Amino acid sequence: MNYILVTAIKNEEKNIESLILSILNQTIKPSLWLIINDGSIDNSKEIIMHYANHINFIFLHNLGGEVRDLTWRYHKIMQYGFNLSIKICAENNISWNYIGVLDGDIVISSNNYFEYLIHKFIENPKYGVLSGKLLSWNGSEFILEYRKKNKPTGAARLINREVLEKINGYPYIPTADGIILIKSELAGYENFWFEEIIAKQSRLTNSITNNIKLYKEKGFIFHYLGYSILYVLLYSIFKTIIKHNFTYLLIIYYFICNKIKKTEQVNDKDILVYKKKIIPNYIKGKLMNYFK
């Protein structure tokens, strides 16, 4: 069973060689690994080229760099990368059953990471998206950031080819990694991450974005994806309490600003309905478990 990988990088010279070596150390290597260099101005391109010239499954594709934008730019590159990698496979008769997202600041610690995930897919054909456990460097140690078991990390995951085809490919949309999980579930598949295999991330999630910009993006994304104001209120208050940081309340402000301005929203009805039902479904599930 074969898999392909897509990675988007920008100025990752400190980590990219470690990432490449961790893939070369895998018990099952990818049939194709497309690395998209988004205009790096460090030595990332040269490091990747060195390996691409010697390893036949590593392909480097260079783009003109633009301002880093996790809301739109990253997902535009990933959609392009998915389409290009599939095209390369078709043109070169490369077979694949799964396609993976692998971020540039990752190192795969378990050398059987992808073999393990492939075996899980084979054991349960209803798995849609899978990953291992992601540990993030907080400046002094690697920690496990909170993640529900049905929310595999977007930084080092495999996607079932059947799922990708049913959801019409990688979506160009904010938080596309989460949208893929939703669409996978709506298509009747299950998503999961496993404790037994580990990937390590060189920084905390969203650490490259300053707080004010992050809150502004969150407010926009919650509006764009059709979250209810109740969800945004609860989310912001919960974060304020947990993080002891009142600036999280700015998310509510930016969410309301987008509501007032009637900023564009996604036109995918499935996503809009799903997001609006998050709170009612959560409460319903808790009540059902309570009265069992």
Side-chain angles (χ1 to χ4, degrees), residues 71-97:
T71 305
W72 292 104
R73 174 72 178 170
Y74 173 79
H75 299 299
K76 181 179 181 180
I77 293 172
M78 290 306 297
Q79 183 188 65
Y80 176 77
F82 268 51
N83 292 339
L84 180 57
S85 63
I86 293 170
K87 180 182 178 182
I88 293 172
C89 287
E91 292 174 347
N92 293 276
N93 295 317
I94 298 172
S95 65
W96 61 281
N97 307 94

Side-chain angles (χ1 to χ4, degrees), residues 17 51 59 77 155 187 246:
E17 187 164 32
Y51 286 96
F59 287 68
I77 293 172
F246 284 95

